[in-house]
mmCIF file of all heavy atoms in Angstrom:
data_model
loop_
_atom_site.group_PDB
_atom_site.id
_atom_site.type_symbol
_atom_site.label_atom_id
_atom_site.label_comp_id
_atom_site.label_asym_id
_atom_site.label_seq_id
_atom_site.Cartn_x
_atom_site.Cartn_y
_atom_site.Cartn_z
ATOM 1 N N CYS A 59 30.073 33.812 -7.397
ATOM 2 C CA CYS A 59 28.736 33.631 -6.761
ATOM 3 C C CYS A 59 27.736 33.998 -7.797
ATOM 4 O O CYS A 59 27.589 35.174 -8.112
ATOM 5 C CB CYS A 59 28.700 34.576 -5.545
ATOM 6 S SG CYS A 59 27.049 34.596 -4.770
ATOM 7 N N ALA A 60 26.824 33.087 -8.113
ATOM 8 C CA ALA A 60 25.768 33.321 -9.141
ATOM 9 C C ALA A 60 24.453 33.330 -8.438
ATOM 10 O O ALA A 60 23.370 33.441 -9.088
ATOM 11 C CB ALA A 60 25.841 32.333 -10.253
ATOM 12 N N ASP A 61 24.378 33.104 -7.054
ATOM 13 C CA ASP A 61 23.071 32.916 -6.438
ATOM 14 C C ASP A 61 22.597 34.335 -5.920
ATOM 15 O O ASP A 61 22.639 34.648 -4.692
ATOM 16 C CB ASP A 61 23.286 32.040 -5.247
ATOM 17 C CG ASP A 61 21.994 31.621 -4.506
ATOM 18 O OD1 ASP A 61 20.953 31.762 -5.230
ATOM 19 O OD2 ASP A 61 21.975 31.229 -3.359
ATOM 20 N N PHE A 62 22.150 35.153 -6.878
ATOM 21 C CA PHE A 62 21.527 36.473 -6.496
ATOM 22 C C PHE A 62 20.592 36.845 -7.705
ATOM 23 O O PHE A 62 20.793 36.345 -8.756
ATOM 24 C CB PHE A 62 22.633 37.421 -6.314
ATOM 25 C CG PHE A 62 23.604 37.587 -7.508
ATOM 26 C CD1 PHE A 62 23.325 38.411 -8.639
ATOM 27 C CD2 PHE A 62 24.808 36.889 -7.559
ATOM 28 C CE1 PHE A 62 24.160 38.456 -9.737
ATOM 29 C CE2 PHE A 62 25.613 37.011 -8.658
ATOM 30 C CZ PHE A 62 25.301 37.775 -9.714
ATOM 31 N N LYS A 63 19.664 37.708 -7.365
ATOM 32 C CA LYS A 63 18.799 38.305 -8.347
ATOM 33 C C LYS A 63 19.415 39.458 -9.059
ATOM 34 O O LYS A 63 19.314 39.638 -10.293
ATOM 35 C CB LYS A 63 17.524 38.724 -7.744
ATOM 36 C CG LYS A 63 16.649 37.724 -7.293
ATOM 37 C CD LYS A 63 15.239 38.230 -6.800
ATOM 38 C CE LYS A 63 14.429 37.097 -6.305
ATOM 39 N NZ LYS A 63 13.108 37.571 -5.714
ATOM 40 N N SER A 64 20.187 40.213 -8.386
ATOM 41 C CA SER A 64 20.915 41.327 -8.899
ATOM 42 C C SER A 64 22.262 41.591 -8.116
ATOM 43 O O SER A 64 22.234 41.389 -6.905
ATOM 44 C CB SER A 64 20.179 42.627 -8.884
ATOM 45 O OG SER A 64 19.892 43.111 -7.686
ATOM 46 N N MET A 65 23.282 42.117 -8.739
ATOM 47 C CA MET A 65 24.461 42.497 -8.096
ATOM 48 C C MET A 65 24.961 43.735 -8.833
ATOM 49 O O MET A 65 24.959 43.904 -9.986
ATOM 50 C CB MET A 65 25.515 41.365 -8.236
ATOM 51 C CG MET A 65 26.861 41.862 -7.531
ATOM 52 S SD MET A 65 28.116 40.612 -7.450
ATOM 53 C CE MET A 65 27.532 39.513 -6.262
ATOM 54 N N THR A 66 25.343 44.707 -7.999
ATOM 55 C CA THR A 66 25.911 45.936 -8.474
ATOM 56 C C THR A 66 27.394 46.036 -7.900
ATOM 57 O O THR A 66 27.578 45.848 -6.715
ATOM 58 C CB THR A 66 25.051 47.115 -8.038
ATOM 59 O OG1 THR A 66 23.829 46.966 -8.582
ATOM 60 C CG2 THR A 66 25.730 48.438 -8.522
ATOM 61 N N VAL A 67 28.290 46.362 -8.770
ATOM 62 C CA VAL A 67 29.725 46.562 -8.443
ATOM 63 C C VAL A 67 29.951 48.124 -8.571
ATOM 64 O O VAL A 67 29.700 48.653 -9.713
ATOM 65 C CB VAL A 67 30.561 45.777 -9.295
ATOM 66 C CG1 VAL A 67 32.082 46.117 -8.911
ATOM 67 C CG2 VAL A 67 30.392 44.299 -9.084
ATOM 68 N N VAL A 68 30.433 48.758 -7.559
ATOM 69 C CA VAL A 68 30.828 50.104 -7.590
ATOM 70 C C VAL A 68 32.304 50.202 -7.550
ATOM 71 O O VAL A 68 32.917 49.744 -6.492
ATOM 72 C CB VAL A 68 30.066 50.964 -6.402
ATOM 73 C CG1 VAL A 68 30.681 52.391 -6.436
ATOM 74 C CG2 VAL A 68 28.654 50.829 -6.422
ATOM 75 N N GLU A 69 32.933 50.736 -8.561
ATOM 76 C CA GLU A 69 34.379 50.725 -8.614
ATOM 77 C C GLU A 69 34.843 52.135 -9.178
ATOM 78 O O GLU A 69 34.557 52.524 -10.219
ATOM 79 C CB GLU A 69 34.885 49.652 -9.617
ATOM 80 C CG GLU A 69 36.366 49.634 -9.864
ATOM 81 C CD GLU A 69 37.109 49.473 -8.621
ATOM 82 O OE1 GLU A 69 37.092 48.507 -7.881
ATOM 83 O OE2 GLU A 69 37.949 50.521 -8.241
ATOM 84 N N PRO A 70 35.677 52.790 -8.303
ATOM 85 C CA PRO A 70 36.114 54.112 -8.763
ATOM 86 C C PRO A 70 37.380 54.162 -9.669
ATOM 87 O O PRO A 70 37.548 55.135 -10.386
ATOM 88 C CB PRO A 70 36.390 54.824 -7.350
ATOM 89 C CG PRO A 70 36.844 53.660 -6.463
ATOM 90 C CD PRO A 70 35.979 52.546 -6.992
ATOM 91 N N ALA A 71 38.155 53.149 -9.672
ATOM 92 C CA ALA A 71 39.351 53.179 -10.470
ATOM 93 C C ALA A 71 39.062 52.730 -11.955
ATOM 94 O O ALA A 71 38.430 51.680 -12.117
ATOM 95 C CB ALA A 71 40.455 52.159 -9.893
ATOM 96 N N SER A 72 39.358 53.566 -12.831
ATOM 97 C CA SER A 72 39.000 53.340 -14.297
ATOM 98 C C SER A 72 39.422 51.933 -14.744
ATOM 99 O O SER A 72 38.643 51.231 -15.456
ATOM 100 C CB SER A 72 39.581 54.423 -15.128
ATOM 101 O OG SER A 72 39.085 55.621 -14.796
ATOM 102 N N MET A 73 40.646 51.505 -14.446
ATOM 103 C CA MET A 73 41.200 50.340 -15.010
ATOM 104 C C MET A 73 40.329 49.159 -14.409
ATOM 105 O O MET A 73 40.025 48.158 -15.111
ATOM 106 C CB MET A 73 42.657 50.136 -14.526
ATOM 107 C CG MET A 73 43.342 48.896 -15.033
ATOM 108 S SD MET A 73 45.037 48.732 -14.407
ATOM 109 C CE MET A 73 45.724 50.303 -14.843
ATOM 110 N N PHE A 74 40.053 49.143 -13.086
ATOM 111 C CA PHE A 74 39.388 48.094 -12.460
ATOM 112 C C PHE A 74 37.835 48.079 -12.981
ATOM 113 O O PHE A 74 37.192 47.009 -13.115
ATOM 114 C CB PHE A 74 39.342 48.134 -10.981
ATOM 115 C CG PHE A 74 40.700 47.996 -10.449
ATOM 116 C CD1 PHE A 74 41.038 48.496 -9.216
ATOM 117 C CD2 PHE A 74 41.698 47.255 -11.063
ATOM 118 C CE1 PHE A 74 42.289 48.400 -8.600
ATOM 119 C CE2 PHE A 74 43.001 47.059 -10.467
ATOM 120 C CZ PHE A 74 43.320 47.604 -9.281
ATOM 121 N N PHE A 75 37.260 49.338 -13.195
ATOM 122 C CA PHE A 75 35.887 49.350 -13.684
ATOM 123 C C PHE A 75 35.840 48.759 -15.109
ATOM 124 O O PHE A 75 34.933 48.028 -15.424
ATOM 125 C CB PHE A 75 35.463 50.878 -13.719
ATOM 126 C CG PHE A 75 34.117 51.055 -14.367
ATOM 127 C CD1 PHE A 75 33.015 50.696 -13.738
ATOM 128 C CD2 PHE A 75 34.007 51.587 -15.639
ATOM 129 C CE1 PHE A 75 31.773 50.873 -14.301
ATOM 130 C CE2 PHE A 75 32.895 51.804 -16.237
ATOM 131 C CZ PHE A 75 31.666 51.390 -15.526
ATOM 132 N N ALA A 76 36.810 49.088 -15.961
ATOM 133 C CA ALA A 76 36.870 48.412 -17.301
ATOM 134 C C ALA A 76 36.926 46.923 -17.253
ATOM 135 O O ALA A 76 36.265 46.246 -17.956
ATOM 136 C CB ALA A 76 38.006 48.995 -18.089
ATOM 137 N N ASN A 77 37.703 46.419 -16.289
ATOM 138 C CA ASN A 77 37.733 44.962 -16.089
ATOM 139 C C ASN A 77 36.452 44.348 -15.633
ATOM 140 O O ASN A 77 35.958 43.405 -16.141
ATOM 141 C CB ASN A 77 38.881 44.556 -15.139
ATOM 142 C CG ASN A 77 39.040 43.131 -14.909
ATOM 143 O OD1 ASN A 77 39.398 42.401 -15.802
ATOM 144 N ND2 ASN A 77 38.630 42.661 -13.722
ATOM 145 N N ALA A 78 35.825 45.075 -14.719
ATOM 146 C CA ALA A 78 34.482 44.562 -14.265
ATOM 147 C C ALA A 78 33.500 44.560 -15.396
ATOM 148 O O ALA A 78 32.706 43.623 -15.496
ATOM 149 C CB ALA A 78 33.974 45.505 -13.113
ATOM 150 N N ARG A 79 33.396 45.634 -16.215
ATOM 151 C CA ARG A 79 32.620 45.618 -17.345
ATOM 152 C C ARG A 79 32.817 44.503 -18.336
ATOM 153 O O ARG A 79 31.960 43.883 -18.801
ATOM 154 C CB ARG A 79 32.744 46.970 -18.167
ATOM 155 C CG ARG A 79 32.292 48.251 -17.346
ATOM 156 C CD ARG A 79 30.907 48.417 -17.368
ATOM 157 N NE ARG A 79 30.235 48.293 -18.705
ATOM 158 C CZ ARG A 79 29.502 49.224 -19.215
ATOM 159 N NH1 ARG A 79 29.243 50.258 -18.562
ATOM 160 N NH2 ARG A 79 29.007 49.108 -20.410
ATOM 161 N N LYS A 80 34.100 44.196 -18.510
ATOM 162 C CA LYS A 80 34.422 43.016 -19.390
ATOM 163 C C LYS A 80 33.893 41.740 -18.782
ATOM 164 O O LYS A 80 33.329 40.880 -19.483
ATOM 165 C CB LYS A 80 35.936 42.936 -19.534
ATOM 166 C CG LYS A 80 36.434 41.875 -20.579
ATOM 167 C CD LYS A 80 37.837 42.073 -20.826
ATOM 168 C CE LYS A 80 38.539 40.901 -20.200
ATOM 169 N NZ LYS A 80 39.973 40.961 -20.343
ATOM 170 N N CYS A 81 34.114 41.604 -17.513
ATOM 171 C CA CYS A 81 33.609 40.367 -16.790
ATOM 172 C C CYS A 81 32.063 40.271 -16.743
ATOM 173 O O CYS A 81 31.565 39.155 -16.749
ATOM 174 C CB CYS A 81 34.162 40.343 -15.378
ATOM 175 S SG CYS A 81 35.965 40.171 -15.177
ATOM 176 N N LEU A 82 31.452 41.334 -16.896
ATOM 177 C CA LEU A 82 29.960 41.425 -16.807
ATOM 178 C C LEU A 82 29.281 40.687 -17.948
ATOM 179 O O LEU A 82 28.258 40.177 -17.889
ATOM 180 C CB LEU A 82 29.406 42.809 -16.787
ATOM 181 C CG LEU A 82 29.533 43.479 -15.436
ATOM 182 C CD1 LEU A 82 29.224 44.982 -15.526
ATOM 183 C CD2 LEU A 82 28.667 42.890 -14.467
ATOM 184 N N ARG A 83 30.050 40.591 -19.063
ATOM 185 C CA ARG A 83 29.511 39.804 -20.250
ATOM 186 C C ARG A 83 29.157 38.440 -19.914
ATOM 187 O O ARG A 83 28.265 37.866 -20.505
ATOM 188 C CB ARG A 83 30.493 39.914 -21.353
ATOM 189 C CG ARG A 83 30.814 41.339 -21.888
ATOM 190 C CD ARG A 83 31.822 41.238 -23.016
ATOM 191 N NE ARG A 83 32.336 42.641 -23.217
ATOM 192 C CZ ARG A 83 33.597 42.830 -23.496
ATOM 193 N NH1 ARG A 83 34.453 41.953 -23.660
ATOM 194 N NH2 ARG A 83 33.921 44.170 -23.647
ATOM 195 N N LYS A 84 29.753 37.876 -18.921
ATOM 196 C CA LYS A 84 29.475 36.487 -18.499
ATOM 197 C C LYS A 84 28.277 36.391 -17.554
ATOM 198 O O LYS A 84 27.748 35.320 -17.334
ATOM 199 C CB LYS A 84 30.743 35.929 -17.818
ATOM 200 C CG LYS A 84 32.010 35.909 -18.576
ATOM 201 C CD LYS A 84 33.170 35.565 -17.750
ATOM 202 C CE LYS A 84 34.461 35.823 -18.590
ATOM 203 N NZ LYS A 84 35.603 35.622 -17.755
ATOM 204 N N ILE A 85 27.923 37.426 -16.884
ATOM 205 C CA ILE A 85 26.912 37.461 -15.899
ATOM 206 C C ILE A 85 25.873 38.547 -16.170
ATOM 207 O O ILE A 85 26.006 39.717 -15.802
ATOM 208 C CB ILE A 85 27.480 37.680 -14.416
ATOM 209 C CG1 ILE A 85 28.746 36.845 -14.202
ATOM 210 C CG2 ILE A 85 26.389 37.451 -13.393
ATOM 211 C CD1 ILE A 85 28.460 35.457 -13.984
ATOM 212 N N PRO A 86 24.836 38.240 -16.866
ATOM 213 C CA PRO A 86 23.902 39.332 -17.325
ATOM 214 C C PRO A 86 23.078 39.976 -16.161
ATOM 215 O O PRO A 86 22.629 41.140 -16.314
ATOM 216 C CB PRO A 86 22.896 38.581 -18.282
ATOM 217 C CG PRO A 86 23.043 37.102 -17.963
ATOM 218 C CD PRO A 86 24.376 36.964 -17.492
ATOM 219 N N LYS A 87 22.978 39.312 -14.998
ATOM 220 C CA LYS A 87 22.219 40.005 -13.928
ATOM 221 C C LYS A 87 23.015 40.849 -13.018
ATOM 222 O O LYS A 87 22.597 41.254 -12.022
ATOM 223 C CB LYS A 87 21.447 38.875 -13.151
ATOM 224 C CG LYS A 87 22.258 37.778 -12.591
ATOM 225 C CD LYS A 87 21.362 36.753 -11.934
ATOM 226 C CE LYS A 87 22.182 35.539 -11.367
ATOM 227 N NZ LYS A 87 21.338 34.585 -10.820
ATOM 228 N N ALA A 88 24.311 41.027 -13.379
ATOM 229 C CA ALA A 88 25.213 41.874 -12.579
ATOM 230 C C ALA A 88 25.395 43.179 -13.449
ATOM 231 O O ALA A 88 25.215 43.129 -14.678
ATOM 232 C CB ALA A 88 26.542 41.218 -12.363
ATOM 233 N N ARG A 89 25.703 44.247 -12.648
ATOM 234 C CA ARG A 89 25.955 45.482 -13.416
ATOM 235 C C ARG A 89 27.156 46.210 -12.608
ATOM 236 O O ARG A 89 27.339 45.996 -11.419
ATOM 237 C CB ARG A 89 24.737 46.426 -13.546
ATOM 238 C CG ARG A 89 24.169 46.832 -12.227
ATOM 239 C CD ARG A 89 22.873 47.567 -12.523
ATOM 240 N NE ARG A 89 22.427 48.062 -11.158
ATOM 241 C CZ ARG A 89 22.200 49.366 -10.969
ATOM 242 N NH1 ARG A 89 22.438 50.236 -11.804
ATOM 243 N NH2 ARG A 89 21.779 49.759 -9.722
ATOM 244 N N ALA A 90 27.829 47.233 -13.282
ATOM 245 C CA ALA A 90 28.853 47.922 -12.707
ATOM 246 C C ALA A 90 28.574 49.397 -12.790
ATOM 247 O O ALA A 90 28.022 49.867 -13.827
ATOM 248 C CB ALA A 90 30.190 47.642 -13.329
ATOM 249 N N ALA A 91 29.033 50.202 -11.831
ATOM 250 C CA ALA A 91 28.851 51.617 -11.796
ATOM 251 C C ALA A 91 30.206 52.254 -11.458
ATOM 252 O O ALA A 91 30.914 51.798 -10.541
ATOM 253 C CB ALA A 91 27.800 52.056 -10.874
#
Side-chain angles (χ1 to χ4, degrees):
C59 173
D61 189 22
F62 55 84
K63 287 184 182 176
S64 70
M65 179 175 289
T66 300
V67 176
V68 176
E69 176 56 64
S72 299
M73 182 184 309
F74 295 154
F75 175 73
N77 180 67
R79 293 285 306 235
K80 188 171 106 181
C81 293
L82 283 171
R83 295 180 197 144
K84 303 171 190 172
I85 314 289
K87 57 186 176 179
R89 65 188 182 117

